[in-house]
Amino acid sequence: MRWVGLAGLKTMAWVPAESAVEELMPRLLPVEPCDLTEGFDPSVPPRTPQEYLRIEAAQCPDVVVAQIDPKKLKRKQSVNVSLSGCQPAPEGYSPTLQWQQQQVAQFSTVRQSVNRHRSHWKSQQLDSNVTMPKSEDEEGWKKFCLGERLCAEGAVGPAASESPGIDYVQVGFPPLLSIVSRMNQATVTSVLEYLSNWFGERDFTPELGRWLYALLACLEKPLLPEAHSLIRQLARRCSEVRLLVDSKDDERVPALNLLICLVSRYFDQRDLADEPS
């Protein structure tokens, strides 16, 4: 008798060892018990299939423990899909049905072009100042996409550049095809989550809008559950921010409308769609 634990479950059971092994790992083939301490010569190959199975079975451990890296379990393991819709657009803010259909058609063309030329752009060498973060580096991706200035605490507006040219480290790298073509689906989903989390606590910016559009253009269908939840969260957040915009002529309104339109009408989340004006 001994304690036997189940990997991944914080439970222990007091059961006979042989019974536990038999229950957890049912035998594929019947193998008789084998005492390898008596007359066993590891240098001599097994002479029969039965002898081979007995030797292999005796050398297998009763319990195997998986080595799990706790850092990989930091992110949520469950996906919660909310069925709540978007906030209705204020009067005069909602786009027409024709505008929405045009945006969906143009977006579809963009996606086809990205897929068609992905191999070409992926083979292009990046500039020496472009270093893409690892997929799990959330802070690194936020700074890469949005720039250190925007990600810094207390940054409220564009800073004046003291040197000629564009400092992409400060203002963020644009979603160039040579960059997004190197991102696999796991990275696309992760970066979409990182930027959605950032957007959940801050206002909409042009840098954010460009990257969200590019990531949606790279998101493959059918959607995985996690991606499905993320884009719905994104559309709802866009509708919440739109409510706070004072004027329908604000440049953020068409950008927010576009993201809601793509999520609802291209990715078939129809319950989130704006009612045509």
Side-chain angles (χ1 to χ4, degrees):
M1 303 282 282
R2 63 178 173 179
W3 288 100
V4 176
L6 306 184
L9 300 178
K10 296 182 179 179
T11 59
M12 303 294 286
W14 180 252
V15 294
E18 293 301 325
S19 300
V21 173
E22 184 69 24
E23 179 181 351
L24 294 176
M25 297 184 296
R27 295 180 180 182
L28 181 63
L29 297 173
V31 180
E32 299 177 0
C34 175
D35 184 6
L36 296 181
T37 61
E38 182 178 346
F40 172 67
D41 186 355
S43 63
V44 178
R47 292 166 295 182
T48 64
Q50 184 68 9
E51 185 175 336
Y52 172 81
L53 291 174
R54 292 172 61 191
I55 293 174
E56 287 295 311
Q59 291 177 336
C60 289
D62 290 343
V63 178
V64 178
V65 180
Q67 300 298 324
I68 300 176
D69 184 359
K71 295 180 180 179
K72 295 183 178 180
L73 301 179
K74 289 194 304 180
R75 294 176 58 189
K76 296 181 293 183
Q77 299 298 305
S78 59
V79 177
N80 298 317
V81 179
S82 173
L83 299 180
S84 60
C86 289
Q87 296 291 334
E91 185 176 355
Y93 285 52
S94 181
T96 64
L97 179 59
Q98 181 182 9
W99 183 89
Q100 296 183 60
Q101 292 172 339
Q102 290 174 346
Q103 300 308 315
V104 169
Q106 182 177 352
F107 181 69
S108 179
T109 301
V110 170
R111 284 172 59 90
Q112 292 173 14
S113 178
V114 170
N115 290 330
R116 186 163 54 248
H117 301 294
R118 182 180 298 275
S119 298
H120 167 75
W121 287 108
K122 189 176 181 179
S123 65
Q124 300 301 303
Q125 187 174 0
L126 295 174
D127 291 341
S128 58
N129 65 329
V130 180
T131 302
M132 297 174 62
K134 295 183 178 180
S135 180
E136 64 274 12
D137 185 1
E138 180 170 356
E139 291 303 315
W141 273 109
K142 290 177 182 177
K143 293 179 180 179
F144 182 85
C145 299
L146 307 176
E148 293 186 355
R149 176 188 59 78
L150 195 59
C151 290
E153 291 294 332
V156 294
S161 177
E162 298 179 358
S163 58
I166 300 176
D167 185 352
Y168 287 113
V169 174
Q170 291 298 317
V171 302
F173 290 90
L176 303 174
L177 283 171
S178 56
I179 293 177
V180 298
S181 295
R182 285 174 161 78
M183 300 168 65
N184 58 29
Q185 282 301 292
T187 302
V188 169
T189 304
S190 294
V191 177
L192 183 60
E193 179 181 5
Y194 301 154
L195 298 184
S196 295
N197 291 341
W198 188 91
F199 183 35
E201 301 175 355
R202 295 170 179 82
D203 199 358
F204 186 83
T205 68
E207 297 89 347
L208 176 66
R210 286 192 288 268
W211 267 100
L212 291 176
Y213 186 94
L215 292 171
L216 291 177
C218 295
L219 197 60
E220 294 179 357
K221 296 173 71 176
L223 296 175
L224 295 175
E226 184 176 2
H228 177 269
S229 176
L230 284 172
I231 65 172
R232 289 183 62 87
Q233 172 189 333
L234 172 61
R236 286 195 298 271
R237 177 57 181 165
C238 287
S239 70
E240 293 168 357
V241 172
R242 184 175 58 184
L243 283 177
L244 305 176
V245 178
D246 294 330
S247 171
K248 64 180 181 181
D249 297 323
D250 191 299
E251 64 179 6
R252 290 172 294 175
V253 172
L256 294 168
N257 285 343
L258 174 59
L259 293 173
I260 296 172
C261 169
L262 297 180
V263 170
S264 61
R265 299 193 179 275
Y266 184 85
F267 290 101
D268 301 318
Q269 308 302 307
R270 298 289 177 170
D271 60 306
L272 302 179
D274 280 322
E275 292 294 332
S277 60

